[in-house]
Amino acid sequence: MTIDKRKFIKTAGLASLAGLAGKNILGQDVSEVIEPGSFDRLSGLQSPLKAERWAMAVDIKKCQKQHDCTKCIDACHHLHNVPEFDNPKDEIKWIWKEPFEHAFHEQENKFQKTDLIHSTPLLFCNHCDNPPCVSVCPTRATWKREDGIVMMDWHRCIGCRYCMAGCPYGSRSFNWRDPRPFIKDQQQDFPTRMRGVVEKCTFCDERLAMGLLPACVEACDVGALVFGDLEDAESDIRKLLNDNFSIRRKPGLGTQPEVYYIIS
Amino acid sequence: MIEKALRGNSKYWGWIAFLFIVIFVGFLFYLRQFGYGLGITGLNRDVTWGLYIAQFTFLVGVAASAVMVVLPYYLHNFKAFGKITILGEILAIASVVMCGTFIFVDMGQPLRIPNVFIFPSPNSLMFWDTIALGGYLVLNVIISINVIASEKKGTPPPGWIKPIILLSIPWAISIHTVTAFLYSGLAARPFWMTAILAPRFLASAFSGGPALLLLLVFFLRKFTRFDPGREPIQKLGLIITYAMSLNVFFVLMEIFTAFYSGIPEHLDHFKFLYVGLHGNTTLVPWMWVSSILAVISLALLYIPKARNNEAVLGFACVTVFLSIWIEKGLGMVITGFVPNPLGEVTRYWPTFTETIITIGVYAVGALVVTIFYKATLSIRGEVSA
């Protein structure tokens, strides 16, 4: 073993110690030792956002006033390396706009308020309290966290697509082919997926862990998306739901979706 | 025992060679799918299961239908089925082998299938279906090998095999029931979410499976010295008649409930099947052919004079088999996804690659049937060794 090698190991060990303990051990700023940005999660050192029951509220009126705005969709798909295919057959989407009559298929009423009937509500995974996708998964590659987020393990998924058959909201996508060549501007701090696995919205669990709100919520300029803890009576989302009329998709199925649509 | 399958005339070897070529071509196309991904099939974000899973479902039925010869023979000691029972059991083995292969080719990440055993998930019906089908395969392999071996020795089968055979009877019912539960437990898919799905599956299985078995029996009788006699053929014809009647009855019950209640989310699926939905009529001609074949088959089977004529019975078996293959191997699975839970209609039709892979898997089943039938008949001296 050469001196150089030993020196390298010593430096690397100290550097990682510094990284783990923050910046005070050596009295040195971590960012001086480690390239800025490469250890966002550690150097950011923001405490993670926690909740007993995460939920999302979508204010359809506020959202629709922005007409063809797709900022939330763009932010989400960009951050999460969601590919863009030309062929609709291969389509993958985590968050998208759908005509009201499809989004709320069970709300058949052609004389509904005009602006509502012509709206295109944002759809994503509902993070159900009783998620059918979790029940049917034969490998527990998708599961519900204690805070209500329905997660996906892309390394365990066998690609049987039973969860897609089980989801009553069409929230899940499958990688019908290698997605990587179709990712514009690939993000290095979020995994890409391979062909043959299912994916969907995860309420930005990776951002919550860093103390950040979901990307779609952050991207929305008009506050049409409100994210928070339903069990916290003082949370913004609870206040919003207390004061406004809201609906959920297919409540009759008993899945208890945790995405609420404000229509008043 | 299996060495008997290694000797045969040129026709036999020609058939084996043909099957190997079909399997090989299917395998080459599967390699394409393996490399590219399931996007090479006609499947898409809305119709996520198609030809493969439909064949799986259909063949679970063929596998379960062995019980239609096993039960009379072993439980009721109906001696006339003595010669054909083993043929039914071998057909069941081949069907389960095809079922497993269809599941394999339908997986997005087939090499991760062991995850099903590493992370067993009793919540998932797929877990139970794996146990049911795996167990059924083991039971039938044990039974068949022992029955053939004792035939070879000219002795009755060992006593301990009897309880295993009896166990295989409810087990056969269970495989198709659990397979129906895969579908009927999904709140997201109103077309499948019907309590009659399991009974319907069993009725279609107990008509389509024996129809195929009878056609195989006719084939063997024509080309080998195998002859089960008239009685088992007529009895099997009767079983097919009853099961097909039940199957049609169940389908009509479904259609009544959907159309009379008029609930769109139930009705739309039946519209898609029989008249088309939002301009999509992909399955309409098929379903009408299936319906017409069902009517023809019942008309032939109901008239004793027609059914007693073996040529007519053979034709009736063809109509039963095709009718049920269309209903289950095409209509049942695809329609669950059309319209999707959002009420949208997306087109699905199998691609060329998908079709060739499917044919390849069927060739695997045909190979299993050929080898084991050949071995059995050689042991009995019903075909030249």
Side-chain angles (χ1 to χ4, degrees):
Chain A
M1 184 180 272
T2 63
I3 299 290
D4 286 339
K5 228 179 202 171
R6 209 179 292 160
K7 219 173 171 180
F8 170 77
I9 290 168
K10 222 164 115 186
T11 322
L14 280 175
S16 49
L17 253 183
L20 285 171
K23 54 180 167 181
N24 291 329
I25 275 191
L26 300 176
Q28 230 176 337
D29 198 304
V30 177
S31 59
E32 286 172 19
V33 185
I34 300 161
E35 199 184 318
S38 63
F39 275 96
D40 272 352
R41 282 168 207 234
L42 293 172
S43 59
L45 287 182
Q46 289 201 48
S47 52
L49 296 182
K50 285 186 175 146
E52 275 185 61
R53 192 35 179 123
W54 287 119
M56 180 83 81
V58 182
D59 190 324
I60 294 187
K61 217 184 221 170
K62 272 189 189 171
C63 174
Q64 295 303 304
K65 271 189 190 150
Q66 305 306 308
H67 300 291
D68 297 328
C69 169
T70 55
K71 281 181 187 166
C72 54
I73 301 171
D74 299 340
C76 167
H77 287 182
H78 176 242
L79 274 179
H80 297 125
N81 291 325
V82 175
E84 251 181 69
F85 295 103
D86 299 328
N87 189 347
K89 195 175 147 323
D90 299 319
E91 188 182 28
I92 290 177
K93 51 192 179 190
W94 288 26
I95 165 171
W96 75 101
K97 284 182 168 181
E98 189 78 49
F100 187 84
E101 55 165 316
H102 292 311
F104 290 90
H105 189 49
E106 70 284 1
Q107 298 272 345
E108 167 93 68
N109 177 359
K110 64 177 172 180
F111 300 110
Q112 179 65 268
K113 244 175 119 223
T114 328
D115 54 348
L116 198 58
I117 233 175
H118 292 123
S119 68
T120 50
L122 279 170
L123 304 189
F124 18 61
C125 170
N126 277 295
H127 297 274
C128 305
D129 278 350
N130 304 314
C133 54
V134 169
S135 309
V136 300
C137 178
T139 61
R140 283 175 277 151
T142 188
W143 73 97
K144 201 182 93 176
R145 295 203 322 195
E146 279 194 356
D147 59 6
I149 294 180
V150 176
M151 289 290 295
M152 266 301 302
D153 183 341
W154 297 310
H155 296 97
R156 189 187 285 189
C157 175
I158 59 173
C160 70
R161 313 185 296 293
Y162 200 6
C163 56
M164 298 178 82
C167 176
Y169 305 104
S171 294
R172 290 173 166 266
S173 301
F174 182 73
N175 286 280
W176 296 104
R177 56 185 299 192
D178 182 10
R180 284 162 191 151
F182 300 90
I183 300 170
K184 285 176 191 158
D185 184 22
Q186 187 175 317
Q187 298 301 296
Q188 295 305 319
D189 53 4
F190 197 83
T192 57
R193 274 73 67 195
M194 66 191 300
R195 67 177 187 281
V197 298
V198 172
E199 60 182 77
K200 67 169 195 74
C201 154
T202 62
F203 269 174
C204 282
D205 66 293
E206 82 287 356
R207 287 173 58 87
L208 297 175
M210 293 191 295
L212 299 167
L213 281 170
C216 54
V217 177
E218 200 181 84
C220 182
D221 302 330
V222 294
L225 296 172
V226 177
F227 184 76
D229 187 356
L230 271 193
E231 298 297 328
D232 175 3
E234 295 305 308
S235 66
D236 290 348
I237 187 166
R238 269 293 288 279
K239 286 181 196 156
L240 194 67
L241 293 175
N242 283 343
D243 297 341
N244 294 281
F245 189 74
S246 62
I247 54 174
R248 294 190 291 176
R249 298 175 66 202
K250 302 196 181 192
L253 298 184
T255 53
Q256 300 292 354
E258 292 295 1
V259 176
Y260 298 77
Y261 293 86
I262 310 254
I263 57 169
S264 55
Chain B
M1 163 196 147
I2 210 72
E3 73 280 359
K4 301 276 185 193
L6 294 176
R7 265 181 270 155
N9 60 20
S10 58
K11 263 188 198 161
Y12 171 74
W13 282 112
W15 171 242
I16 295 279
F18 170 74
L19 288 179
F20 266 108
I21 292 167
V22 176
I23 293 169
F24 183 68
V25 172
F27 179 72
L28 289 183
F29 276 85
Y30 178 71
L31 286 184
R32 278 187 64 194
Q33 180 190 299
F34 188 81
Y36 180 90
L38 278 162
I40 211 160
T41 67
L43 295 168
N44 51 64
R45 198 178 182 279
D46 290 322
V47 185
T48 50
W49 284 340
L51 196 59
Y52 299 150
I53 292 296
Q55 302 320 299
F56 159 79
T57 310
F58 174 75
L59 289 165
V60 172
V62 177
S65 76
V67 77
M68 288 291 102
V69 285
V70 171
L71 190 146
Y73 182 58
Y74 287 105
L75 205 60
H76 299 292
N77 206 16
F78 182 67
K79 292 271 190 278
F81 275 175
K83 277 191 159 182
I84 61 170
T85 300
I86 187 69
L87 301 184
E89 285 163 333
I90 291 170
L91 184 58
I93 293 172
S95 300
V96 178
V97 168
M98 287 188 274
C99 287
T101 318
F102 273 117
I103 291 292
F104 185 89
V105 299
D106 189 66
M107 291 298 115
Q109 286 291 333
L111 301 180
R112 291 186 193 165
I113 287 178
N115 282 358
V116 175
F117 306 100
I118 299 171
F119 310 105
S121 317
N123 268 335
S124 174
L125 262 306
M126 219 174 260
F127 169 80
W128 293 106
D129 214 22
T130 313
I131 292 178
L133 282 171
Y136 191 64
L137 180 63
V138 171
L139 287 179
N140 274 290
V141 167
I142 293 174
I143 294 167
S144 301
I145 287 178
N146 277 284
V147 168
I148 296 172
S150 49
E151 274 200 26
K152 193 178 177 186
K153 284 183 279 185
T155 58
W160 56 265
I161 201 83
K162 190 75 192 271
I164 293 182
I165 292 171
L166 294 183
L167 176 63
S168 80
I169 294 171
W171 205 292
I173 309 288
S174 87
I175 60 167
H176 220 18
T177 306
V178 176
T179 305
F181 285 178
L182 272 180
Y183 299 101
S184 66
L186 300 180
R189 310 286 166 181
F191 180 65
W192 299 332
M193 212 194 71
T194 160
I196 210 172
L197 198 68
R200 216 184 123 183
F201 271 17
L202 288 167
S204 58
F206 295 163
S207 42
L212 177 60
L213 181 62
L214 208 43
L215 290 172
L216 289 170
V217 165
F218 285 141
F219 175 86
L220 292 178
R221 197 179 57 180
K222 185 161 177 148
F223 292 98
T224 69
R225 287 193 293 276
F226 170 80
D227 187 4
R230 193 178 155 71
E231 198 187 356
I233 290 173
Q234 284 306 316
K235 268 287 181 293
L236 217 44
L238 200 60
I239 288 171
I240 295 166
T241 310
Y242 277 110
M244 188 62 180
S245 305
L246 275 177
N247 179 48
V248 172
F249 177 58
F250 289 163
V251 173
L252 290 175
M253 283 168 81
E254 291 256 54
I255 291 175
F256 166 78
T257 312
F259 277 85
Y260 195 80
S261 70
I263 301 173
E265 64 174 21
H266 291 272
L267 190 57
D268 284 351
H269 294 290
F270 286 92
K271 281 186 178 166
F272 169 70
L273 272 180
Y274 292 103
V275 292
L277 190 66
H278 302 178
N280 186 320
T281 54
T282 323
L283 289 182
V284 174
W286 291 88
M287 289 313 291
W288 282 106
V289 167
S290 171
S291 306
I292 292 165
L293 287 172
V295 171
I296 294 174
S297 73
L298 284 184
L300 295 176
L301 291 169
Y302 281 164
I303 305 166
K305 256 193 182 164
R307 192 178 67 233
N308 291 340
N309 179 326
E310 285 184 0
V312 178
L313 182 59
F315 179 74
C317 284
V318 173
T319 57
V320 165
F321 183 81
L322 288 179
S323 171
I324 285 171
W325 183 82
I326 294 170
E327 182 194 313
K328 228 169 163 183
L330 274 181
M332 215 290 299
V333 170
I334 300 170
T335 309
F337 296 98
V338 189
N340 74 0
L342 283 70
E344 296 156 333
V345 172
T346 308
R347 189 188 143 82
Y348 161 80
W349 192 245
T351 58
F352 180 71
T353 303
E354 198 176 356
T355 311
I356 298 292
I357 293 172
T358 301
I359 293 170
V361 178
Y362 270 105
V364 171
L367 186 67
V368 174
V369 165
T370 306
I371 289 173
F372 281 95
Y373 277 16
K374 170 70 168 57
T376 308
L377 298 191
S378 299
I379 285 164
R380 287 178 179 166
E382 283 164 341
V383 68
S384 51

